[in-house]
Amino acid sequence: MPSGSAVSRRQFIATSGWGAFGVFLALESRAAELPPPRFVLQWGKNGTAAGEFSANVGIAVGKNDEIYTCEFRNRRVQRFTPEGKFLGMFAVQPHPGGIAVDANGNVYVGHWNDNKVAAYSSTGKLLRDWGRKGTGDGEFQLPGSVALGPDRLLYVPDQGNSRVQKFTTDGKFVDKWGNHGKGPGQFGGNQAPGGRFAGPQFVAFDSVGNVYATDADLKRVQKFTSDGKFLAHWGSGGSEPGGFGPPPLQKNGKPAPVGGPIGICVDGQNRVWVSATNSRVQQFANDGKYLRAIGGLGVNPGQFHVPHALAIDSRGFLYVADTMNARVQKFDVAVSS
């Protein structure tokens, strides 16, 4: 059942990921910063029963603001009301990651290790899948997520191939952009070509169709037109406001080889929300100016443990797939006057 209480506006953000770094930023000390979003509710815990999660990587909003989640380990899609009430679930093929839902209730899933994208009906019937391992048009290396654009095309961050591919919802290849490197419009240049931690990870869209893509390896968000023309990028590996570091700690206490931005969504005011492995969710103007943040490593309301996908519903509420805490958190992101 959903639980939790409002988070105080006097909130501190820990710049940490899979381990505690003990570095905190006092939000109220930044006079120009917007007030932090208000925590509304949370639901879920680790497990396999209805309403429980294991590696809930994907999240999307469907008709009537119903919330869809996708779990890598449990290999399923679950559906909830905006208040977190369980509505149903169905099994999907192995290694699911990001998820998108169209106006008819059809569900699209990126199957990461299987190098394909699959479409399911609202009841879970497999409608079609496409893709195989490779570098050609319509082929993939680790497509970890999917997103439906305002042009009704399906955008697939082809992570290992360091590019974005576009398809019709029937699986017909339309376009692609991006390649391996460190320059503007490139992704994952610190990783070997085809590496599992190369970018892009997730994509999202603003009201005019511009595309925003996360690149964890290069610690940045990149902005493109819908046909892939590079417009801008921002981010760093630092712990300052707007930074996507430091990298998370591994179980051996050493920094992970890769850490940075993961999930992304754009709200109704064209403000960009980005999750990162430092267990923060940060908000930016669409030109990359830092606005505010939520988070810090922890299990309390308003804290995260390696959050992944983000989604905004029609009423402007933000949903966070708090992956390693096996829950969903909901926030009111309206700015008080």
Side-chain angles (χ1 to χ4, degrees):
M1 294 293 293
S3 62
S5 59
V7 171
S8 168
R9 292 193 179 189
R10 182 179 174 84
Q11 181 173 349
F12 294 90
I13 296 181
T15 56
S16 56
W18 295 326
F21 291 89
V23 180
F24 293 87
L25 297 171
L27 288 184
E28 69 267 37
S29 69
R30 297 177 54 83
E33 188 164 311
L34 297 172
R38 179 179 63 87
F39 172 80
V40 176
L41 59 86
Q42 66 183 29
W43 70 88
K45 63 179 182 179
N46 189 60
T48 59
E52 298 177 344
F53 302 111
S54 184
N56 52 316
V57 171
I59 194 165
V61 177
K63 187 177 180 180
N64 299 321
D65 284 336
E66 291 179 351
I67 306 304
Y68 291 72
T69 62
C70 193
E71 300 165 74
F72 187 83
R73 295 197 186 103
N74 282 337
R75 301 180 180 181
R76 67 185 181 186
V77 167
Q78 296 194 73
R79 184 168 55 92
F80 303 89
T81 69
E83 292 73 41
K85 180 183 177 181
F86 174 78
L87 295 174
M89 63 183 175
F90 58 82
V92 296
Q93 298 178 69
H95 311 122
I99 182 174
V101 184
D102 69 19
N104 297 317
N106 296 318
V107 175
Y108 304 86
V109 176
H111 289 276
W112 197 57
N113 287 353
D114 285 356
N115 298 300
K116 65 182 177 182
V117 172
Y120 302 88
S121 73
S122 60
T123 59
K125 178 183 178 181
L126 178 65
L127 301 176
R128 68 192 69 88
D129 58 30
W130 65 93
R132 63 180 181 180
K133 187 174 183 179
T135 60
D137 294 349
E139 296 178 338
F140 302 110
Q141 291 200 61
L142 307 172
S145 67
V146 294
L148 276 168
D151 53 9
R152 300 183 182 179
L153 295 176
L154 196 68
Y155 291 66
V156 182
D158 189 7
Q159 191 168 319
N161 282 327
S162 299
R163 65 184 181 183
V164 176
Q165 295 197 68
K166 292 167 62 174
F167 301 87
T168 67
T169 53
D170 291 328
K172 181 181 178 181
F173 173 81
V174 174
D175 197 6
K176 64 183 177 184
W177 75 81
N179 54 61
H180 184 258
K182 300 180 182 180
Q186 297 181 314
F187 299 96
N190 292 318
Q191 299 290 306
R196 62 183 300 220
F197 294 116
Q201 275 72 33
F202 282 77
V203 298
F205 314 91
D206 65 21
S207 62
V208 297
N210 293 320
V211 184
Y212 301 79
T214 54
D215 186 347
D217 174 61
L218 296 178
K219 315 294 188 292
R220 67 185 183 184
V221 172
Q222 297 200 69
K223 180 180 179 180
F224 303 89
T225 64
S226 60
D227 57 1
K229 178 183 177 182
F230 172 80
L231 296 175
H233 66 75
W234 70 83
S236 77
S239 62
E240 74 281 357
F244 298 119
L249 295 181
Q250 303 176 95
K251 291 182 179 180
N252 62 10
K254 296 181 179 180
V258 177
I262 309 175
I264 191 165
C265 70
V266 182
D267 65 25
Q269 288 72 48
N270 287 326
R271 301 169 303 188
V272 183
W273 296 85
V274 185
S275 69
T277 57
N278 62 11
S279 293
R280 286 190 286 172
V281 173
Q282 299 183 85
Q283 184 193 41
F284 301 86
N286 61 13
D287 61 359
K289 178 185 176 182
Y290 171 81
L291 298 176
R292 55 178 172 165
I294 333 167
L297 180 67
V299 299
N300 294 326
Q303 296 179 317
F304 307 112
H305 191 180
V306 192
H308 276 60
L310 309 173
I312 294 276
D313 71 13
S314 68
R315 297 177 295 167
F317 288 100
L318 172 70
Y319 299 82
V320 180
D322 189 5
T323 304
M324 299 304 290
N325 280 329
R327 65 184 178 183
V328 172
Q329 294 196 64
K330 178 179 179 179
F331 298 88
D332 180 355
V333 300
V335 178
S336 300
S337 58

